[in-house]
């Protein structure tokens, strides 16, 4: 078969670039120990209750999961104090994002609006689905990565069916207040009554005060808003693929009709239930991240890096003026066995993003950074 037979939008597609894996770096640099602070994973690893649940259910993987994941849906509905009919679950929130686009946005007819840069899955899934995406540059002038919702709304047309925002944002960590999101929802309803606002709250629980930033946490659910959450970050299940949404009920009904029947597998469902039950692990995760975030920000500022305030489990930073490039810094860290994230795919080639690790990983990262920048200063003399 010739490639030319493939739909043009797929041929032109820029695939999602994941962070480098530990195995890749070990092989390439001949290292035994590698610290990965690239993909915003849980700094404490996997909860013990989750491990036990997976062991307990290992013998049942020959069975199909129960259709509609009712126990997990029930547990999530209880936690958020909403009707179970509003909960959808998927193979990571990535699956939910893809399905929302397919459910709501007709190719060649409707469009999606989001910021630029943004989480790359939105534009990638839009492209795969042949849907126009209208991007609004993030407030670059104050250089604080804050959201200009008025500018975003200017991109909205009669044919916009979905507006995505990420709160806290990836890769900046910026997080608007719940009140600002609410007024965005109101204005959007005035402009385009058939458009939904998708609020991706993948990192919201790392904020110092979740209530201050999340309408969902306040149980304030405007009719035209849907919320996305994930088990990949604070619950530590990135490798099992489990995400969920709290969405308007009619949309949830259609979601279940369209979703592939067993995309959330038996182990993911059991692990999800165990993760929800393990409140101690989650509390420990949140305090580890909040403390680590403060420590890394302080440490980076001490060596004259610019660090943006973050409500998430990662920090966006830039190296001091007249030092090395982000690319060089990234490579020197790799040689020392530390993987962080370059942001070329976000069109931010001079910025870097580091995920908050556990205390010893954070210390190793800061020591390596100090070393790298000191060497540069010596060479420059
Ligand atoms: C990590 C992340 C997610 C979670 O994706 P999963 O598919 O649930 O692993 C969603 N949105 C953003 C912005 C993220 O960074």
């Amino acid at each position: 078969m010739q490639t030319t037979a493939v739909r043009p939008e797929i041929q032109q597609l820029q695939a999602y670039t994941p962070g480098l894996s530990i195995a890749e770096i070990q092989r390439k640099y001949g290292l035994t120990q590698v610290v990965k602070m690239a993909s915003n994973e849980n700094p404490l690893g996997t909860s013990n209750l989750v491990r036990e649940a997976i062991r307990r259910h290992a013998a049942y993987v020959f069975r199909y999961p129960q259709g509609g994941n009712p126990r997990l849906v029930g547990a999530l509905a209880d936690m958020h104090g909403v009707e179970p009919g509003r909960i959808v679950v998927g193979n990571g929130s990535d699956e939910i994002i893809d399905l929302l686009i397919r459910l709501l946005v007709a190719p060649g007819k409707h469009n999606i609006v989001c910021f630029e840069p943004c989480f790359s899955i939105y534009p990638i899934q839009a492209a795969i689905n042949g849907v126009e995406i209208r991007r609004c540059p993030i407030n670059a002038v104050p250089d604080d990565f804050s959201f200009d919702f008025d500018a975003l709304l200017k991109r909205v047309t009669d044919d916009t069916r979905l507006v995505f925002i990420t709160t806290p944002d990836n890769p900046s960590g910026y997080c608007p207040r719940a009140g600002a999101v609410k007024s965005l929802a109101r204005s959007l309803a005035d402009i385009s009554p058939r458009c939904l606002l998708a609020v991706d709250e993948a990192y919201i629980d790392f904020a110092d005060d979740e209530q201050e930033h999340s309408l969902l946490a306040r149980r304030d659910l405007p009719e035209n808003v849907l919320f996305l959450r994930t088990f990949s970050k604070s619950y530590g299940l990135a490798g099992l693929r489990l995400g969920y949404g709290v969405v308007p009920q009619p949309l949830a009904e259609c979601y279940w009709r369209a979703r592939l029947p067993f995309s959330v597998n038996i182990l993911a469902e059991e692990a999800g239930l165990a993760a929800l039950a393990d409140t101690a692990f989650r509390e420990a995760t949140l305090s580890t991240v909040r403390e680590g975030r403060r420590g890394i920000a302080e440490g980076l500022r001490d060596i004259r890096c610019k660090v943006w305030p973050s409500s998430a489990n990662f920090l966006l930073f830039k190296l001091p003026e007249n030092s090395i490039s982000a690319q060089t810094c990234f490579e020197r860290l790799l040689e020392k066995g530390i993987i962080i994230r370059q942001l070329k795919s976000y069109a931010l080639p001079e910025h870097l993003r580091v995920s908050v690790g556990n205390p010893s990983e954070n210390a190793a990262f800061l020591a390596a950074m100090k070393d790298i920048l000191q060497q540069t200063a010596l060479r420059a003399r």
Side-chain angles (χ1 to χ4, degrees):
M1 193 196 96
Q2 293 181 337
T3 351
T4 49
V6 175
R7 287 164 49 209
E9 53 269 46
I10 306 298
Q11 289 188 50
Q12 288 157 20
L13 199 64
Q14 294 285 327
Y16 177 78
T17 344
L20 297 169
S21 79
I22 290 184
E24 282 171 292
I25 297 309
Q26 282 177 326
R27 216 176 313 122
K28 186 164 170 202
Y29 294 91
L31 297 161
T32 46
Q33 262 220 324
V34 169
V35 170
K36 186 178 177 212
M37 302 168 88
S39 303
N40 307 336
E41 293 148 343
N42 193 301
L44 301 182
T46 310
S47 121
N48 282 326
L49 285 192
V50 166
R51 288 178 205 217
E52 275 167 36
I54 292 173
R55 260 184 239 119
R56 241 188 354 262
H57 289 88
Y60 299 99
V61 297
F62 74 103
R63 297 269 186 223
Y64 280 105
Q66 203 178 348
N69 311 102
R71 285 187 306 139
L72 183 58
V73 164
L76 289 167
D78 282 350
M79 184 175 72
H80 286 293
V82 301
E83 288 291 308
R86 293 185 71 118
I87 303 284
V88 297
V89 301
N91 188 273
S93 31
D94 292 351
E95 181 188 28
I96 306 177
I97 292 165
D98 176 61
L99 210 44
L100 287 173
I101 294 174
R102 291 198 278 153
L103 289 171
L104 295 163
V105 196
K109 192 166 164 198
H110 300 145
N111 65 68
I112 295 173
V113 167
C114 65
F115 282 116
E116 165 134 55
C118 71
F119 184 44
S120 51
I121 296 294
Y122 317 145
I124 292 173
Q125 297 318 120
I128 291 172
N129 289 303
V131 154
E132 183 201 351
I133 188 148
R134 297 167 61 87
R135 319 270 313 256
C136 170
I138 279 194
N139 226 348
V141 180
D143 198 23
D144 62 359
F145 288 87
S146 63
F147 294 163
D148 183 345
F149 285 149
D150 291 332
L152 187 72
L153 286 168
K154 288 204 180 98
R155 301 294 192 284
V156 174
T157 68
D158 285 345
D159 293 322
T160 305
R161 287 295 178 273
L162 261 177
V163 173
F164 280 105
I165 59 168
T166 313
T167 64
D169 201 12
N170 181 7
S172 74
Y174 169 80
C175 196
R177 287 176 169 264
V181 175
K182 183 149 186 178
S183 47
L184 171 67
R186 267 202 216 108
S187 312
L188 187 62
D190 290 341
I191 297 173
S192 183
R194 301 188 63 187
C195 181
L196 288 179
L197 174 63
V199 184
D200 187 341
E201 298 191 331
Y203 302 100
I204 196 80
D205 38 1
F206 297 114
D208 285 319
D209 184 352
E210 188 180 331
Q211 295 277 329
E212 203 175 281
H213 298 285
S214 169
L215 290 173
L216 179 57
R218 296 178 181 211
R219 306 200 172 169
D220 180 353
L221 311 175
E223 254 177 58
N224 62 336
V225 179
L226 65 92
F227 301 90
L228 296 172
R229 297 235 179 165
T230 180
F231 282 85
S232 295
K233 314 285 159 54
S234 60
Y235 291 104
L237 301 185
L240 273 179
R241 315 303 304 127
L242 185 60
Y244 67 97
V246 180
V247 311
Q249 192 143 343
L251 178 58
E253 281 166 21
C254 293
Y255 177 92
W256 289 109
R257 283 182 230 162
R259 197 195 74 161
L260 286 172
F262 307 116
S263 66
V264 172
N265 68 69
I266 281 194
L267 295 183
E269 179 168 26
E270 294 301 338
L273 285 163
L276 290 177
D278 198 346
T279 49
F281 176 82
R282 190 135 167 293
E283 285 309 314
T285 297
L286 298 183
S287 59
T288 301
V289 165
R290 289 179 189 139
E291 245 166 74
R293 185 170 67 200
R294 270 192 292 277
I296 296 180
E298 216 174 271
L300 284 176
R301 286 185 186 124
D302 282 348
I303 51 175
R304 298 188 306 112
C305 290
K306 179 171 165 81
V307 186
W308 279 265
S310 169
S311 296
N313 63 343
F314 51 81
L315 285 157
L316 180 75
F317 69 98
K318 230 174 165 175
L319 297 159
E321 302 281 327
N322 306 321
S323 69
I324 47 176
S325 68
Q327 170 78 25
T328 306
C329 178
F330 173 76
E331 281 164 10
R332 300 236 169 106
L333 283 168
L334 282 185
E335 288 161 15
K336 293 173 183 284
I338 296 169
I339 317 174
I340 65 166
R341 190 79 146 93
Q342 283 187 292
L343 297 170
K344 287 183 208 159
S345 63
Y346 289 85
L348 297 169
E350 284 309 318
H351 292 71
L352 292 164
R353 189 190 73 191
V354 60
S355 308
V356 178
N358 63 37
S360 74
E361 291 168 333
N362 299 343
F365 165 71
L366 286 174
M369 283 296 295
K370 226 182 206 161
D371 203 41
I372 290 166
L373 288 181
Q374 234 155 32
Q375 293 222 339
T376 326
L378 285 178
R379 261 180 237 163
R381 252 181 237 164

